[in-house]
Amino acid sequence: MKAAVVNAFGVTPSFQEFPEPEAGDGETVVTVESAAISPIVKLLASGRHYMSAAKAGFVPGVDGIGRDADGKRVYFLFPRAPFGSLAQKSLSARAMTVPVPDILPSDRAAALATGALASWVALSRRAKLQKGETVLIVGATGSSGSMAIQTARHFGATKIVAVGRNNQKLDRLDADVKIALDDAADHLLRAQFDHGIDVVLDFVWGEPAVRILQAATRDRGSRLGEPRLRYVQLGTMAGSEIPIRGDMLRSTGLELMGSGIGSVAVTDLLACAGELLEAAPAAGFDTDFASVPLSKIGEAWNDDSNRRYVILPPQ
């Protein structure tokens, strides 16, 4: 079969032949219709992710849309190595598939699942957002950050604060408050926390996280009875480490938590994907993406524009 293959860590996957998978007990061969390139897919292929394979020689891709052995269209998650989703066929545990609504085209379904799953999991399983609460999104101008605005609305957030570096992209977002991370941001951020923020979704970490946490905790030690702030860490595009003072945690209602593979049960991740895809048509979820054939994997993989690419294997 045709596949994108990681022949060496950190090297662009090659479009080439790869052995077809054979299903074992409890597994199904999936004929792939679409699969998205996401940051985690690239990290795993680089060998730098904490769940990267021990050696190269595998097909990348952690999820996708396709037809199982019974002809049913499904979303599948975490296919068995070395048969990732960026190929004509992949290998999935039957228990790791959920149905895809007929109304959703396969490429759109793959783009939505990849873009919105992180925020769906964070809001429903980790922060447990309640209707009427306020959400601040750090990295809101990225594809996952912009999708987080839509999922937060879906879960009942009445106010959304979008934070990012790109003013032009911020202007296009459907957020109630938009804050660019420039020299004036610290004052504006403190004002928002004074008004009340319940949940922070942080897609970038690093220096932006330091500024957000300082704004959230500054001069709040004497404000007894303030509601807890659930700060959910989702990505490290701006840096993997930050300094945190102990009094940030002792003197405020700040709760730091992560959301992702390892901090959320795999069964919950799959359930969230099913919930997301089922809700997507009625909710009107939308995301910008480009569909390209598998043969163009190199061009899509190396595009640094932050655009979401969905790969379409030959049928």
Side-chain angles (χ1 to χ4, degrees):
M1 67 176 181
K2 296 296 185 181
V5 181
V6 175
N7 292 305
F9 287 125
V11 176
T12 302
S14 174
F15 177 65
Q16 63 183 69
E17 293 289 334
F18 197 78
E20 291 194 11
E22 295 182 4
D25 291 342
E27 295 179 328
T28 182
V29 173
V30 178
T31 300
V32 182
E33 295 184 355
S34 61
I37 300 175
S38 62
I40 189 173
V41 170
K42 287 189 173 183
L43 272 175
L44 287 165
S46 73
R48 295 183 289 111
H49 191 270
Y50 58 88
M51 291 191 67
S52 290
K55 60 181 181 178
F58 59 90
V59 176
V62 299
D63 65 351
I65 309 292
R67 301 277 175 179
D68 65 13
D70 299 321
K72 297 177 182 178
R73 197 166 64 121
V74 297
Y75 168 85
F76 62 100
L77 180 64
F78 301 145
R80 179 161 68 83
F83 303 104
S85 56
L86 294 174
Q88 288 183 292
K89 294 182 180 181
S90 188
L91 185 60
S92 174
R94 287 188 176 273
M96 291 303 293
T97 66
V98 291
V100 178
D102 292 339
I103 196 172
L104 275 181
S106 291
D107 57 352
R108 179 179 167 83
L112 289 175
T114 301
L117 185 57
S119 57
W120 190 282
V121 172
L123 293 171
S124 67
R125 287 349 189 241
R126 299 297 282 156
K128 297 182 179 178
L129 182 72
Q130 303 297 307
K131 289 184 178 180
E133 291 190 314
T134 297
V135 177
L136 184 146
I137 301 169
V138 192
T141 54
S143 56
S144 293
S146 61
M147 281 300 307
I149 296 174
Q150 298 178 56
T151 55
R153 295 271 191 222
H154 178 77
F155 282 115
T158 53
K159 180 180 177 182
I160 298 175
V161 181
V163 180
R165 294 194 181 278
N166 189 314
N167 276 300
Q168 291 183 335
K169 289 185 177 181
L170 275 174
D171 288 341
R172 294 195 294 266
L173 297 178
D174 180 26
D176 302 289
V177 178
K178 304 167 187 179
I179 300 176
L181 280 172
D182 53 24
D183 293 340
D186 296 331
H187 170 74
L188 296 173
L189 288 168
R190 284 196 296 272
Q192 290 303 314
F193 281 104
D194 286 341
H195 291 148
I197 300 291
D198 300 292
V199 174
V200 173
L201 298 184
D202 183 351
F203 289 91
V204 299
W205 206 232
E207 187 266 346
V210 174
R211 297 177 71 177
I212 300 295
L213 287 167
Q214 288 175 344
T217 59
R218 181 177 175 181
D219 300 328
R220 280 175 166 74
S222 60
R223 302 185 185 187
L224 300 178
E226 280 199 347
R228 64 192 182 109
L229 169 64
R230 291 102 77 197
Y231 194 111
V232 189
Q233 203 284 311
L234 290 155
T236 54
M237 296 295 289
S240 59
E241 297 181 1
I242 68 167
I244 299 178
R245 299 194 320 271
D247 61 356
M248 284 184 174
L249 301 174
R250 295 194 309 272
S251 62
T252 69
L254 174 65
E255 298 180 8
L256 286 174
M257 66 188 83
S259 182
I261 303 171
S263 60
V264 179
V266 171
T267 52
D268 273 337
L269 293 175
L270 183 67
C272 283
E275 294 165 8
L276 165 63
L277 292 172
E278 183 179 4
F285 292 152
D286 194 17
T287 186
D288 180 41
F289 68 94
S291 297
V292 298
L294 180 62
S295 59
K296 302 293 186 182
I297 183 66
E299 296 175 26
W301 191 273
N302 293 317
D303 189 325
D304 59 1
S305 65
N306 292 323
R307 191 174 194 185
R308 180 77 69 196
Y309 280 96
V310 173
I311 301 300
L312 307 178
Q315 299 300 302

